[in-house]
Amino acid sequence: MRALTTVPLQPDTLDVVDVPDPTPRDGDLLVDAIAVGVCGTDKEIARGEYGWAPPGHDRLVLGHESLGRVREAPDGSGFATGDLVAGVVRRPDPEPCGACARGEFDMCRNGKYTERGIKQIDGYASEQWTVEAAYAVKLDDRLSDVGMLMEPTSVVAKAWEQVDRVGGRAWFEPERVLVTGAGPIGLLAALVGAQRGLDVHVLDRVRGGPKPALVHGLGATYHHADPESVLDRVRPDVVIEATGVPAVLLAAVGGTAAYGITVLTGVSSAGHRVTVDGGDLNREIVLENDAVVGSVNANLRHFEQAADVLAAADVGWLGRLVSRRVPLADFADAFEPREDDVKVVLTFDR
Ligand code: BGC
């Protein structure tokens, strides 16, 4: 079968190659791929900047934003042939650390976790794949065109859970959320904010393209002015930061309402220095009991929450998040950014 693979840390090695058909182990589902989403991490791996092949292999099968249909399911697994499913990305470290031992592998403490399509386990960008039933999540059948949004939605579900848990330190009834960045993560974070009945604001650089209408489609407000002035006007109780741009995230941390919570989800590269008034920033955080929390990845619970978020969403709106559907054979197109791209996906039509 065909799979999208690369040699990690070697640029220009991204290619569709033939790999052996997967053989389900005890308790595994065998799944026919429908699509995989392409995200910033995939592009980083393709550029040779990140990623680890499975031990003893040169190439890594990419793909962690999965969607497929079950071909074979073991009896008693809770899955049946024809079910729409997505696979969880991370697996616990082998020791395991205290968090991994409790199913909270998204909070792994020793960094020895593995991730499908990223770190030491082949991903889901192959015509067929297997997944342990315990690491698969069933999707509402209406999501057969958009269910590859499950993984980014799980990341967002975790970020919102962090808001709830950090907010739970004291009385907490947030009204306004500012999402910085209107990429897939930002827009899905805004979707959750809207589902929670909050006054949702989204900030991005662009004036045109599909983003303003996607934000308005949620009943939310779109901003493209400088971050400081937007924060001044909105004074959000919660910020979900999805740009990873240092100047934006520092403005957000300093610009929340009292008891503000900023969740950082954007992965940035090192080497972007900015000048900040550290004294003023510290004063703001301390005198307002503000909190800043980093959030990455998602465990099974967050995938289940994501399935509920997508099931409750307008499928037409989710479909508008998918800018391009690129057949596997044309994979290079999917990795080439185009103006107005929100989410690009690879498809596995047979
Ligand atoms: C994925 C996460 C993963 C992270 C770091 C992100 O693109 O969505 O699941 O933990 O990359 O590898």
PDB file of all heavy atoms in Angstrom, residues 15 26 47 60 78 90 96 103 106 122 150 169 172 176 190 195 204 212 247 260 262 292 302-303 311 325 339:
ATOM      1  N   ASP A  15       8.027  11.683   0.567  1.00  0.00           N
ATOM      2  CA  ASP A  15       7.655  10.939  -0.640  1.00  0.00           C
ATOM      3  C   ASP A  15       6.569   9.911  -0.325  1.00  0.00           C
ATOM      4  O   ASP A  15       6.502   9.396   0.791  1.00  0.00           O
ATOM      5  CB  ASP A  15       8.899  10.201  -1.182  1.00  0.00           C
ATOM      6  CG  ASP A  15       8.790   9.943  -2.679  1.00  0.00           C
ATOM      7  OD1 ASP A  15       7.770  10.326  -3.283  1.00  0.00           O
ATOM      8  OD2 ASP A  15       9.732   9.347  -3.233  1.00  0.00           O
ATOM      9  N   ASP A  26      -3.478  -8.316  18.290  1.00  0.00           N
ATOM     10  CA  ASP A  26      -4.629  -8.570  19.168  1.00  0.00           C
ATOM     11  C   ASP A  26      -5.215  -7.256  19.677  1.00  0.00           C
ATOM     12  O   ASP A  26      -4.479  -6.437  20.218  1.00  0.00           O
ATOM     13  CB  ASP A  26      -4.120  -9.369  20.385  1.00  0.00           C
ATOM     14  CG  ASP A  26      -4.799 -10.701  20.451  1.00  0.00           C
ATOM     15  OD1 ASP A  26      -5.448 -11.054  19.451  1.00  0.00           O
ATOM     16  OD2 ASP A  26      -4.678 -11.358  21.511  1.00  0.00           O
ATOM     17  N   ARG A  47      10.319  19.520   6.542  1.00  0.00           N
ATOM     18  CA  ARG A  47      11.489  20.388   6.297  1.00  0.00           C
ATOM     19  C   ARG A  47      12.758  19.821   6.930  1.00  0.00           C
ATOM     20  O   ARG A  47      13.834  20.411   6.812  1.00  0.00           O
ATOM     21  CB  ARG A  47      11.236  21.786   6.885  1.00  0.00           C
ATOM     22  CG  ARG A  47      10.265  22.646   6.089  1.00  0.00           C
ATOM     23  CD  ARG A  47      10.382  24.112   6.503  1.00  0.00           C
ATOM     24  NE  ARG A  47      10.164  24.314   7.932  1.00  0.00           N
ATOM     25  CZ  ARG A  47       8.979  24.592   8.494  1.00  0.00           C
ATOM     26  NH1 ARG A  47       7.914  24.706   7.743  1.00  0.00           N
ATOM     27  NH2 ARG A  47       8.879  24.762   9.802  1.00  0.00           N
ATOM     28  N   LEU A  60       9.728   7.536   8.416  1.00  0.00           N
ATOM     29  CA  LEU A  60       8.569   7.657   9.311  1.00  0.00           C
ATOM     30  C   LEU A  60       7.343   7.882   8.439  1.00  0.00           C
ATOM     31  O   LEU A  60       7.364   8.740   7.552  1.00  0.00           O
ATOM     32  CB  LEU A  60       8.771   8.875  10.231  1.00  0.00           C
ATOM     33  CG  LEU A  60       7.554   9.347  11.049  1.00  0.00           C
ATOM     34  CD1 LEU A  60       7.282   8.387  12.214  1.00  0.00           C
ATOM     35  CD2 LEU A  60       7.780  10.766  11.594  1.00  0.00           C
ATOM     36  N   GLY A  78     -16.028  -2.907  20.963  1.00  0.00           N
ATOM     37  CA  GLY A  78     -16.881  -1.709  20.982  1.00  0.00           C
ATOM     38  C   GLY A  78     -16.944  -1.034  19.622  1.00  0.00           C
ATOM     39  O   GLY A  78     -17.629  -0.034  19.453  1.00  0.00           O
ATOM     40  N   ARG A  90      -0.731  10.257  20.843  1.00  0.00           N
ATOM     41  CA  ARG A  90       0.371   9.947  21.765  1.00  0.00           C
ATOM     42  C   ARG A  90       0.170   8.606  22.464  1.00  0.00           C
ATOM     43  O   ARG A  90      -0.959   8.162  22.675  1.00  0.00           O
ATOM     44  CB  ARG A  90       0.498  11.054  22.808  1.00  0.00           C
ATOM     45  CG  ARG A  90       1.828  10.997  23.551  1.00  0.00           C
ATOM     46  CD  ARG A  90       2.027  12.156  24.490  1.00  0.00           C
ATOM     47  NE  ARG A  90       2.466  13.374  23.823  1.00  0.00           N
ATOM     48  CZ  ARG A  90       2.978  14.418  24.462  1.00  0.00           C
ATOM     49  NH1 ARG A  90       3.104  14.390  25.788  1.00  0.00           N
ATOM     50  NH2 ARG A  90       3.356  15.501  23.802  1.00  0.00           N
ATOM     51  N   PRO A  96       6.061   3.549  33.185  1.00  0.00           N
ATOM     52  CA  PRO A  96       5.695   4.882  32.742  1.00  0.00           C
ATOM     53  C   PRO A  96       5.852   5.892  33.888  1.00  0.00           C
ATOM     54  O   PRO A  96       5.906   5.501  35.044  1.00  0.00           O
ATOM     55  CB  PRO A  96       4.212   4.702  32.408  1.00  0.00           C
ATOM     56  CG  PRO A  96       3.737   3.664  33.391  1.00  0.00           C
ATOM     57  CD  PRO A  96       4.924   2.783  33.703  1.00  0.00           C
ATOM     58  N   GLY A 103      -2.990   7.469  32.487  1.00  0.00           N
ATOM     59  CA  GLY A 103      -3.697   7.809  31.249  1.00  0.00           C
ATOM     60  C   GLY A 103      -3.534   9.259  30.846  1.00  0.00           C
ATOM     61  O   GLY A 103      -4.141   9.720  29.882  1.00  0.00           O
ATOM     62  N   ASP A 106      -0.653  12.944  27.854  1.00  0.00           N
ATOM     63  CA  ASP A 106      -0.481  14.293  27.295  1.00  0.00           C
ATOM     64  C   ASP A 106       0.301  15.183  28.252  1.00  0.00           C
ATOM     65  O   ASP A 106       0.756  16.258  27.869  1.00  0.00           O
ATOM     66  CB  ASP A 106      -1.845  14.929  26.994  1.00  0.00           C
ATOM     67  CG  ASP A 106      -2.726  15.002  28.234  1.00  0.00           C
ATOM     68  OD1 ASP A 106      -2.818  13.998  28.967  1.00  0.00           O
ATOM     69  OD2 ASP A 106      -3.312  16.078  28.487  1.00  0.00           O
ATOM     70  N   ASP A 122       4.902   4.978  13.408  1.00  0.00           N
ATOM     71  CA  ASP A 122       4.345   5.402  12.127  1.00  0.00           C
ATOM     72  C   ASP A 122       2.971   6.025  12.325  1.00  0.00           C
ATOM     73  O   ASP A 122       2.207   5.628  13.204  1.00  0.00           O
ATOM     74  CB  ASP A 122       4.258   4.201  11.175  1.00  0.00           C
ATOM     75  CG  ASP A 122       5.616   3.878  10.554  1.00  0.00           C
ATOM     76  OD1 ASP A 122       6.457   4.803  10.449  1.00  0.00           O
ATOM     77  OD2 ASP A 122       5.837   2.707  10.182  1.00  0.00           O
ATOM     78  N   MET A 150     -10.730  16.068  14.047  1.00  0.00           N
ATOM     79  CA  MET A 150     -10.770  15.542  15.426  1.00  0.00           C
ATOM     80  C   MET A 150      -9.509  15.854  16.217  1.00  0.00           C
ATOM     81  O   MET A 150      -9.580  16.291  17.357  1.00  0.00           O
ATOM     82  CB  MET A 150     -10.933  14.020  15.381  1.00  0.00           C
ATOM     83  CG  MET A 150     -12.338  13.555  15.463  1.00  0.00           C
ATOM     84  SD  MET A 150     -13.027  13.815  17.095  1.00  0.00           S
ATOM     85  CE  MET A 150     -12.356  12.388  17.940  1.00  0.00           C
ATOM     86  N   ARG A 169      -9.640  27.662  40.645  1.00  0.00           N
ATOM     87  CA  ARG A 169      -8.954  28.079  41.870  1.00  0.00           C
ATOM     88  C   ARG A 169      -9.859  28.942  42.753  1.00  0.00           C
ATOM     89  O   ARG A 169      -9.690  29.026  43.961  1.00  0.00           O
ATOM     90  CB  ARG A 169      -7.712  28.922  41.531  1.00  0.00           C
ATOM     91  CG  ARG A 169      -6.567  28.163  40.893  1.00  0.00           C
ATOM     92  CD  ARG A 169      -5.487  29.147  40.458  1.00  0.00           C
ATOM     93  NE  ARG A 169      -6.020  30.060  39.444  1.00  0.00           N
ATOM     94  CZ  ARG A 169      -5.510  31.255  39.162  1.00  0.00           C
ATOM     95  NH1 ARG A 169      -4.469  31.704  39.827  1.00  0.00           N
ATOM     96  NH2 ARG A 169      -6.038  32.017  38.224  1.00  0.00           N
ATOM     97  N   PHE A 172     -15.359  31.652  39.287  1.00  0.00           N
ATOM     98  CA  PHE A 172     -14.968  31.804  37.883  1.00  0.00           C
ATOM     99  C   PHE A 172     -16.176  31.671  36.983  1.00  0.00           C
ATOM    100  O   PHE A 172     -16.716  30.582  36.806  1.00  0.00           O
ATOM    101  CB  PHE A 172     -13.930  30.717  37.550  1.00  0.00           C
ATOM    102  CG  PHE A 172     -13.307  30.842  36.186  1.00  0.00           C
ATOM    103  CD1 PHE A 172     -12.723  32.024  35.762  1.00  0.00           C
ATOM    104  CD2 PHE A 172     -13.282  29.741  35.327  1.00  0.00           C
ATOM    105  CE1 PHE A 172     -12.127  32.120  34.501  1.00  0.00           C
ATOM    106  CE2 PHE A 172     -12.697  29.830  34.073  1.00  0.00           C
ATOM    107  CZ  PHE A 172     -12.111  31.021  33.660  1.00  0.00           C
ATOM    108  N   ARG A 176     -15.881  36.763  28.436  1.00  0.00           N
ATOM    109  CA  ARG A 176     -15.267  37.079  27.140  1.00  0.00           C
ATOM    110  C   ARG A 176     -13.997  36.269  26.922  1.00  0.00           C
ATOM    111  O   ARG A 176     -13.149  36.180  27.801  1.00  0.00           O
ATOM    112  CB  ARG A 176     -14.889  38.566  27.080  1.00  0.00           C
ATOM    113  CG  ARG A 176     -16.018  39.481  26.634  1.00  0.00           C
ATOM    114  CD  ARG A 176     -15.574  40.925  26.653  1.00  0.00           C
ATOM    115  NE  ARG A 176     -14.963  41.257  27.926  1.00  0.00           N
ATOM    116  CZ  ARG A 176     -15.647  41.461  29.038  1.00  0.00           C
ATOM    117  NH1 ARG A 176     -16.960  41.398  29.049  1.00  0.00           N
ATOM    118  NH2 ARG A 176     -15.026  41.744  30.156  1.00  0.00           N
ATOM    119  N   ALA A 190     -12.375  28.915  19.026  1.00  0.00           N
ATOM    120  CA  ALA A 190     -13.490  29.869  18.991  1.00  0.00           C
ATOM    121  C   ALA A 190     -14.820  29.113  18.927  1.00  0.00           C
ATOM    122  O   ALA A 190     -15.804  29.510  19.562  1.00  0.00           O
ATOM    123  CB  ALA A 190     -13.335  30.802  17.791  1.00  0.00           C
ATOM    124  N   GLN A 195     -19.810  27.528  21.565  1.00  0.00           N
ATOM    125  CA  GLN A 195     -20.680  26.465  22.101  1.00  0.00           C
ATOM    126  C   GLN A 195     -20.922  26.654  23.594  1.00  0.00           C
ATOM    127  O   GLN A 195     -21.944  26.237  24.126  1.00  0.00           O
ATOM    128  CB  GLN A 195     -20.073  25.078  21.838  1.00  0.00           C
ATOM    129  CG  GLN A 195     -20.127  24.658  20.373  1.00  0.00           C
ATOM    130  CD  GLN A 195     -19.610  23.235  20.136  1.00  0.00           C
ATOM    131  OE1 GLN A 195     -18.974  22.635  20.999  1.00  0.00           O
ATOM    132  NE2 GLN A 195     -19.868  22.703  18.946  1.00  0.00           N
ATOM    133  N   ASP A 204      -6.577  38.096  14.160  1.00  0.00           N
ATOM    134  CA  ASP A 204      -5.614  37.569  13.187  1.00  0.00           C
ATOM    135  C   ASP A 204      -5.065  38.755  12.395  1.00  0.00           C
ATOM    136  O   ASP A 204      -5.594  39.861  12.461  1.00  0.00           O
ATOM    137  CB  ASP A 204      -6.299  36.548  12.255  1.00  0.00           C
ATOM    138  CG  ASP A 204      -5.307  35.650  11.528  1.00  0.00           C
ATOM    139  OD1 ASP A 204      -4.651  36.114  10.571  1.00  0.00           O
ATOM    140  OD2 ASP A 204      -5.162  34.474  11.915  1.00  0.00           O
ATOM    141  N   PRO A 212     -12.407  35.986   8.299  1.00  0.00           N
ATOM    142  CA  PRO A 212     -13.443  36.826   8.932  1.00  0.00           C
ATOM    143  C   PRO A 212     -14.833  36.184   8.853  1.00  0.00           C
ATOM    144  O   PRO A 212     -15.569  36.161   9.848  1.00  0.00           O
ATOM    145  CB  PRO A 212     -13.377  38.138   8.125  1.00  0.00           C
ATOM    146  CG  PRO A 212     -11.974  38.179   7.591  1.00  0.00           C
ATOM    147  CD  PRO A 212     -11.613  36.750   7.318  1.00  0.00           C
ATOM    148  N   ALA A 247       5.397  38.452  20.443  1.00  0.00           N
ATOM    149  CA  ALA A 247       4.814  39.770  20.747  1.00  0.00           C
ATOM    150  C   ALA A 247       3.314  39.638  21.024  1.00  0.00           C
ATOM    151  O   ALA A 247       2.774  40.337  21.882  1.00  0.00           O
ATOM    152  CB  ALA A 247       5.053  40.726  19.580  1.00  0.00           C
ATOM    153  N   GLY A 260      -7.315  36.761  34.839  1.00  0.00           N
ATOM    154  CA  GLY A 260      -7.288  36.293  33.457  1.00  0.00           C
ATOM    155  C   GLY A 260      -6.470  35.016  33.312  1.00  0.00           C
ATOM    156  O   GLY A 260      -5.499  34.791  34.033  1.00  0.00           O
ATOM    157  N   THR A 262      -4.464  32.784  30.405  1.00  0.00           N
ATOM    158  CA  THR A 262      -3.965  32.678  29.031  1.00  0.00           C
ATOM    159  C   THR A 262      -3.438  31.267  28.826  1.00  0.00           C
ATOM    160  O   THR A 262      -2.566  30.802  29.564  1.00  0.00           O
ATOM    161  CB  THR A 262      -2.815  33.682  28.785  1.00  0.00           C
ATOM    162  OG1 THR A 262      -3.285  34.991  29.113  1.00  0.00           O
ATOM    163  CG2 THR A 262      -2.362  33.659  27.339  1.00  0.00           C
ATOM    164  N   VAL A 292      -0.883  31.832  33.421  1.00  0.00           N
ATOM    165  CA  VAL A 292      -0.440  31.523  32.057  1.00  0.00           C
ATOM    166  C   VAL A 292      -0.103  30.048  32.045  1.00  0.00           C
ATOM    167  O   VAL A 292       0.656  29.582  32.898  1.00  0.00           O
ATOM    168  CB  VAL A 292       0.823  32.329  31.684  1.00  0.00           C
ATOM    169  CG1 VAL A 292       1.229  32.036  30.249  1.00  0.00           C
ATOM    170  CG2 VAL A 292       0.605  33.812  31.900  1.00  0.00           C
ATOM    171  N   HIS A 302      -9.853  13.904  26.041  1.00  0.00           N
ATOM    172  CA  HIS A 302      -9.988  15.094  25.184  1.00  0.00           C
ATOM    173  C   HIS A 302     -10.470  14.717  23.784  1.00  0.00           C
ATOM    174  O   HIS A 302     -11.193  15.478  23.152  1.00  0.00           O
ATOM    175  CB  HIS A 302      -8.654  15.853  25.118  1.00  0.00           C
ATOM    176  CG  HIS A 302      -8.093  16.186  26.469  1.00  0.00           C
ATOM    177  ND1 HIS A 302      -6.849  15.771  26.884  1.00  0.00           N
ATOM    178  CD2 HIS A 302      -8.640  16.855  27.504  1.00  0.00           C
ATOM    179  CE1 HIS A 302      -6.647  16.187  28.122  1.00  0.00           C
ATOM    180  NE2 HIS A 302      -7.714  16.844  28.527  1.00  0.00           N
ATOM    181  N   PHE A 303     -10.052  13.547  23.306  1.00  0.00           N
ATOM    182  CA  PHE A 303     -10.569  13.082  22.007  1.00  0.00           C
ATOM    183  C   PHE A 303     -12.076  12.833  22.108  1.00  0.00           C
ATOM    184  O   PHE A 303     -12.826  13.146  21.181  1.00  0.00           O
ATOM    185  CB  PHE A 303      -9.843  11.811  21.552  1.00  0.00           C
ATOM    186  CG  PHE A 303      -8.594  12.104  20.742  1.00  0.00           C
ATOM    187  CD1 PHE A 303      -7.402  12.429  21.364  1.00  0.00           C
ATOM    188  CD2 PHE A 303      -8.617  12.079  19.353  1.00  0.00           C
ATOM    189  CE1 PHE A 303      -6.257  12.708  20.625  1.00  0.00           C
ATOM    190  CE2 PHE A 303      -7.486  12.353  18.603  1.00  0.00           C
ATOM    191  CZ  PHE A 303      -6.300  12.675  19.241  1.00  0.00           C
ATOM    192  N   ALA A 311     -19.676  16.815  16.910  1.00  0.00           N
ATOM    193  CA  ALA A 311     -21.047  16.321  16.685  1.00  0.00           C
ATOM    194  C   ALA A 311     -22.066  17.447  16.878  1.00  0.00           C
ATOM    195  O   ALA A 311     -23.117  17.456  16.234  1.00  0.00           O
ATOM    196  CB  ALA A 311     -21.340  15.156  17.615  1.00  0.00           C
ATOM    197  N   ARG A 325      -8.634  19.821  -0.574  1.00  0.00           N
ATOM    198  CA  ARG A 325      -8.552  18.363  -0.405  1.00  0.00           C
ATOM    199  C   ARG A 325      -7.643  17.852  -1.511  1.00  0.00           C
ATOM    200  O   ARG A 325      -8.004  17.898  -2.687  1.00  0.00           O
ATOM    201  CB  ARG A 325      -9.946  17.731  -0.538  1.00  0.00           C
ATOM    202  CG  ARG A 325     -10.882  18.155   0.566  1.00  0.00           C
ATOM    203  CD  ARG A 325     -12.306  17.710   0.327  1.00  0.00           C
ATOM    204  NE  ARG A 325     -13.163  18.306   1.344  1.00  0.00           N
ATOM    205  CZ  ARG A 325     -13.386  17.779   2.556  1.00  0.00           C
ATOM    206  NH1 ARG A 325     -12.873  16.597   2.866  1.00  0.00           N
ATOM    207  NH2 ARG A 325     -14.128  18.405   3.431  1.00  0.00           N
ATOM    208  N   GLU A 339      -2.199  31.299  -0.171  1.00  0.00           N
ATOM    209  CA  GLU A 339      -2.924  32.353   0.511  1.00  0.00           C
ATOM    210  C   GLU A 339      -4.348  31.833   0.708  1.00  0.00           C
ATOM    211  O   GLU A 339      -4.881  31.146  -0.158  1.00  0.00           O
ATOM    212  CB  GLU A 339      -2.929  33.589  -0.391  1.00  0.00           C
ATOM    213  CG  GLU A 339      -3.005  34.868   0.395  1.00  0.00           C
ATOM    214  CD  GLU A 339      -3.013  36.063  -0.531  1.00  0.00           C
ATOM    215  OE1 GLU A 339      -2.335  36.002  -1.571  1.00  0.00           O
ATOM    216  OE2 GLU A 339      -3.718  37.022  -0.208  1.00  0.00           O
TER     217      GLU A 339
END
